[in-house]
Amino acid sequence: MANSQLLLSFAAAVLAALLSAVLTWALRPLLLRIALAKPNARSSHGIPTPQGAGIAVIMATLITTVAVIVFAGAAEMKIPVAVFAATLFIGAVGIADDVKSIPVLPRLLLQGLAVAAVILAAPENLRIVPACPLWLERGLLILAGLWFVNLVNFMDGLDLMTVAEIVPITGALVLLGWLGGLPASTTVAAAALFGAMLGFAPFNRPVAKIFLGDVGSLPIGLLVGWCLLQLAWHQQVAAALLLPLYYLADATVTLFRRIARGEPFWAAHRSHFYQRATDNGFSVSRVVSEVFALNILLAAFAIGSVMTSSTAIAILLFVAGGIVTAFLMHRFSRRRPSPG
């Protein structure tokens, strides 16, 4: 089964990359007319740029995942219908918000419905903390999922930033699937998203020709959150936290800083650490490269935490991940010395 899973994952990644690239190229002329993101004081781009390439990324991911799973025909590779339906739903919310902004409260309620559908559809025997009442654990997971979906959206603010985050995460998830840490269907879905992001990457490299938009960042957050939850349900909590640790730390610390300052934390802003880095003299390419390098290291720590049988080592790897993440955030928050 391991060899067949490897081949299926490879096929999913290649097919999704090709489909994503073709769809992104085909959709760009239409998105230029109906979904143009114009620069403002909070933007990191300087020219009007179409958004909505997430349509291509998500459709490539879902179509490829379904096709590969159906082709495999394995009984244990059941298609997670609730996850795919919720992904399409939250993607529709995203594209509506891209075209015409939706007020904050209705947007959160709609996103919450999608997250709740994924969490509540899971079997009751899937638990992270069995001693905790089921209703409480599921309620907390819905809140955490809603935050994760939004933070992925918040952090999608530089060319290639989401590629630099999601490619290492999904690549690590595929490796963990091959090691037996994830269900086969989750592994194939992660491989498809990995490929779809690679297919999108050439269009999003600086200076970007097209952005993901909310139609991409929201469902990507939902899909990745579901994959990470599979790790947590298999008692690999350290790995589930290590893989997205940069996004989690940057977004969460920024949120609490804004609340402490009495700022309207729900409003758009430019105070994330990666945004402050560009204001402090770091080029977009430098910021994205350093985030990518950090994520590769975090992925290695996550895989190590799964492979070890020692809880102490897993904790040490998590602490090490926290230290290197804090170091990069501190580096981004300080002005870069001028050459010479």
Side-chain angles (χ1 to χ4, degrees), residues 37-49 157-159 207-208 211 270 284:
K38 298 179 180 179
N40 56 46
R42 299 181 181 91
S43 302
S44 295
H45 64 289
I47 58 174
T49 305
L158 284 183
D159 299 344
V207 173
F211 300 146
R270 278 192 54 80
V284 171

Side-chain angles (χ1 to χ4, degrees), residues 115 119 128-129 132-147 229:
V115 173
I119 301 298
I128 299 175
V129 184
C132 180
L134 179 64
W135 65 268
L136 179 58
E137 181 175 294
R138 293 293 165 92
L140 291 173
L141 285 176
I142 290 172
L143 291 176
L146 183 59
W147 173 232
L229 189 55

Side-chain angles (χ1 to χ4, degrees), residues 187-280:
T187 306
V188 170
L193 183 54
F194 173 87
M197 292 303 294
L198 289 180
F200 161 72
F203 300 91
N204 192 234
R205 63 184 179 84
V207 173
K209 297 180 178 65
I210 194 168
F211 300 146
L212 281 171
D214 287 4
V215 67
S217 58
L218 294 175
I220 286 171
L222 187 67
L223 280 174
V224 172
W226 168 67
C227 291
L228 295 172
L229 189 55
Q230 300 296 316
L231 277 179
W233 275 332
H234 286 78
Q235 302 306 306
Q236 302 296 344
V237 177
L241 292 173
L242 275 165
L243 286 173
L245 190 55
Y246 175 71
Y247 264 31
L248 282 173
D250 189 322
T252 305
V253 171
T254 299
L255 174 68
F256 284 127
R257 284 165 58 97
R258 299 193 74 215
I259 292 174
R261 293 171 178 172
E263 299 176 12
F265 59 86
W266 57 89
H269 60 92
R270 278 192 54 80
S271 53
H272 285 290
F273 286 84
Y274 75 90
Q275 292 170 322
R276 292 161 64 189
T278 58
D279 294 339
N280 286 331

